[in-house]
Amino acid sequence: MGVRGFGELEAVVMDRLWSREGTTTTVREIFDELAEHREIAYTTVMSTMDNLQRKGWLARERTGKAFRYWPTLTREEHSARLMRDAFAAGGKSDVVLARFVEQMSDEESASLRLVLRRLAEAEDAG
């Protein structure tokens, strides 16, 4: 599964939508992209996007005869939610966090320190 929390096709569709960075798209546009790389029915893509909308992952509005879709969360917001869920379900939170940080690269660790510093500064200023 490419993106945790989604089925295989849902993950592919969400990846395509997230790569559009804020623009809306139609089922036809996603279908045309996917059909270049795999055999797939238009109705399968339509059903998948409809399911994602019913689950709250996509929003949509009618434009003419078609719906235009967009994600309700950014890729980063979705990833943060998955991390939060894993953190909450993982047992002792301090141990989970320690294990997570131990697995970080030097670059990721530096990014984490920077984010924590910014949050602390914003808290001190507020």
Side-chain angles (χ1 to χ4, degrees):
M1 184 169 6
V3 181
R4 291 196 40 85
F6 298 115
E8 181 185 346
L9 185 56
E10 288 177 334
V12 170
V13 168
M14 289 303 296
D15 186 60
R16 299 286 174 140
L17 287 160
W18 279 324
S19 69
R20 285 171 161 69
E21 297 185 8
T23 61
T24 64
T25 192
T26 63
V27 171
R28 171 61 63 189
E29 291 166 336
I30 296 295
F31 167 75
D32 288 344
E33 284 182 27
L34 296 178
E36 290 178 17
H37 306 288
R38 68 194 318 177
E39 192 170 317
I40 191 164
Y42 177 88
T43 54
T44 301
V45 177
M46 182 176 62
S47 295
T48 299
M49 292 176 72
D50 186 56
N51 288 340
L52 287 166
Q53 186 269 327
R54 278 190 283 110
K55 292 177 181 179
W57 295 109
L58 297 179
R60 71 181 182 192
E61 67 181 3
R62 185 175 289 279
T63 305
K65 293 182 179 180
F67 283 106
R68 296 203 66 83
Y69 292 84
W70 63 92
T72 57
L73 297 174
T74 66
R75 183 187 313 265
E76 294 78 12
E77 289 167 334
H78 173 68
S79 295
R81 182 179 283 181
L82 289 174
M83 292 167 61
R84 182 69 200 143
D85 291 347
F87 185 67
K92 296 179 183 176
S93 56
D94 59 333
V95 176
V96 172
L97 185 56
R99 297 288 182 248
F100 179 72
V101 171
E102 287 170 357
Q103 296 175 30
M104 291 180 142
S105 68
D106 291 341
E107 184 178 309
E108 291 167 334
S109 180
S111 292
L112 177 60
R113 283 192 300 276
L114 180 62
V115 168
L116 290 172
R117 192 174 313 119
R118 285 182 189 157
L119 290 173
E121 289 170 0
E123 190 175 292
D124 291 343

